[in-house]
Amino acid sequence: MCTGFAVVTAFIRVEDLVVVFRGETVLEVGELELRGPGLYQILGPNGAGKTTLLRTIAGLVKPVKGKVIVSGVDVTGRPESAGRFIGYVPQHEHVSGYSYPITAYEMVVSALMLHRKRWPRVRTPSWAREAAINALKEVGLGENAWFKKVSELSGGQLQRVLIARALAHNPPILLMDEPLSAVDPRGRVGIARLLGRLAERKLVVVTSHDPSLLLEYTKGIVLLNRRVVAYGPPREVLTVEKLRKVYGGAVVVLEPHTHICDSHLPAGRG
C-alpha cells in the first residue's frame, strides 16, 4: 500500500536525566541514544519508570536535571517542540474521551487539526481528510470501523486508531506505551506485525512487559529499573543474569526459553 510516508532518519539522546516525583527520584538515566529506523523495547517491572521515560522524551515531563535531544533539537520539557518529531501513543486507560460520541475517523482528524493549530471545523479540509484516511489505511483498520464510535471498537481496533492518530502528521518517531496491552492474542500478533513494518522506516520505541512478540523486529532493548540496567541488542540484554537484576524471582527458566512473570511485580522486588 502506498501512503506517501517517507523514510526519515531520527534519533533520541538522553543526557544525565533525573526525574523527581513528590520528592522521590523515580528515574535516572546517565546516557542513552536510540537511533532510527528501528524498533526499541523498554522493559522493566511496574514502577520501573518506563512510562515516565517515554513522557519525558515527549516533553510531557520536565526533569529536574538533564536533557532530551531529538534529532539535534533540545526538547526537554517542551512538548510542542517534541511534537514536531514525535507521535505519542498512550496506554488505553490513559485515553481521555474514550466514551465520548466521537468516531475513529473524527479522532484522527481532530488530533491532526489540533497538531497543525487549526481548530476542528464543520467542514474538514481535504488535506486533513486525506492524511487521516491514509493513516487509518496504514494501520490496517477496516473501513467499516472508521465511522464507528470509539466506545464501540474492540481493544485491537482502538489500538490501531491510537496509532493512526499518532501517525497522521507523519512523525519520524513513534513512542508507544504498552501497545500490546488490552488486545486479544490474535490482535497482538497483528499489532506486532504493524509495528515491525513501521520500524522499517521510523524510530519506534515501545514499553513492554513481554518482549517475545516484538523480538524479531527489535533493534535494541533498554532494561530499566528506575535507571538503565542494561542496553543493547536483544541477545546481549536478555540474559538470565541481567534480567534477574531487575525482575529477581519473576524470571523463570524453562529450557530452552526464559520467561518473565512480572504482571504485578513492583520495581526492585524479587
Side-chain angles (χ1 to χ4, degrees):
M1 178 187 300
C2 180
T3 62
F5 293 128
V7 176
V8 180
T9 301
F11 70 87
I12 297 167
R13 186 166 63 247
V14 176
E15 303 173 354
D16 299 319
L17 193 73
V18 178
V19 178
V20 174
F21 180 69
R22 294 180 179 175
E24 180 183 3
T25 299
V26 296
L27 183 65
E28 292 183 86
V29 180
E31 186 174 344
L32 178 67
E33 183 166 308
L34 310 176
R35 188 167 289 271
L39 188 147
Y40 292 82
Q41 292 194 63
I42 301 174
L43 304 182
N46 292 335
K50 302 186 299 297
T51 298
T52 298
L53 178 56
L54 283 196
R55 288 174 58 81
T56 304
I57 292 171
L60 299 170
V61 171
K62 188 172 183 179
V64 297
K65 179 185 175 185
K67 287 196 236 180
V68 176
I69 309 296
V70 176
S71 297
V73 177
D74 186 344
V75 302
T76 312
R78 300 162 59 197
E80 288 193 1
S81 296
R84 292 168 48 200
F85 308 96
I86 291 172
Y88 179 61
V89 182
Q91 290 189 52
H92 277 228
E93 59 264 34
H94 296 156
V95 180
S96 60
Y98 175 80
S99 60
Y100 289 2
I102 185 173
T103 67
Y105 168 81
E106 289 168 340
M107 176 180 272
V108 176
V109 165
S110 60
L112 179 59
M113 296 287 287
L114 290 171
H115 183 269
R116 298 283 185 91
K117 294 185 172 60
R118 298 184 182 183
W119 302 105
R121 58 187 85 170
V122 174
R123 184 172 181 179
T124 304
S126 59
W127 61 266
R129 290 198 303 272
E130 182 178 355
I133 289 172
N134 281 343
L136 290 167
K137 288 180 178 179
E138 173 75 357
V139 301
L141 186 70
E143 291 186 32
N144 62 325
W146 293 1
F147 299 101
K148 282 186 178 180
K149 293 179 182 178
V150 174
S151 58
E152 297 172 349
L153 300 178
S154 68
Q157 288 175 324
L158 176 58
Q159 190 63 66
R160 289 177 187 272
V161 174
L162 296 178
I163 296 171
R165 182 176 69 169
L167 272 176
H169 69 280
N170 193 23
I173 300 172
L174 291 173
L175 305 181
M176 303 189 188
D177 199 0
E178 296 285 352
L180 302 182
S181 66
V183 181
D184 62 49
R186 183 177 179 182
R188 282 198 291 272
V189 172
I191 297 291
R193 289 173 178 165
L194 168 61
L195 301 189
R197 291 196 301 271
L198 291 172
E200 292 175 359
R201 53 187 172 75
K202 293 181 182 290
L203 172 56
V204 178
V205 183
V206 306
T207 65
S208 175
H209 282 283
D210 180 3
S212 58
L213 271 179
L214 292 170
L215 208 52
E216 67 177 290
Y217 313 110
T218 299
K219 183 176 183 179
I221 297 277
V222 180
L223 193 57
L224 197 68
N225 195 4
R226 299 199 174 191
R227 63 183 180 84
V228 176
V229 175
Y231 164 64
R235 68 175 55 192
E236 295 179 9
V237 175
L238 298 180
T239 66
V240 173
E241 179 184 3
K242 289 176 181 175
L243 289 172
R244 281 185 172 155
K245 287 182 180 179
V246 171
Y247 295 100
V251 176
V252 179
V253 179
L254 300 173
E255 295 293 345
H257 302 294
T258 300
H259 300 269
I260 302 169
C261 308
D262 78 320
S263 298
H264 303 289
L265 183 72
R269 294 285 297 278

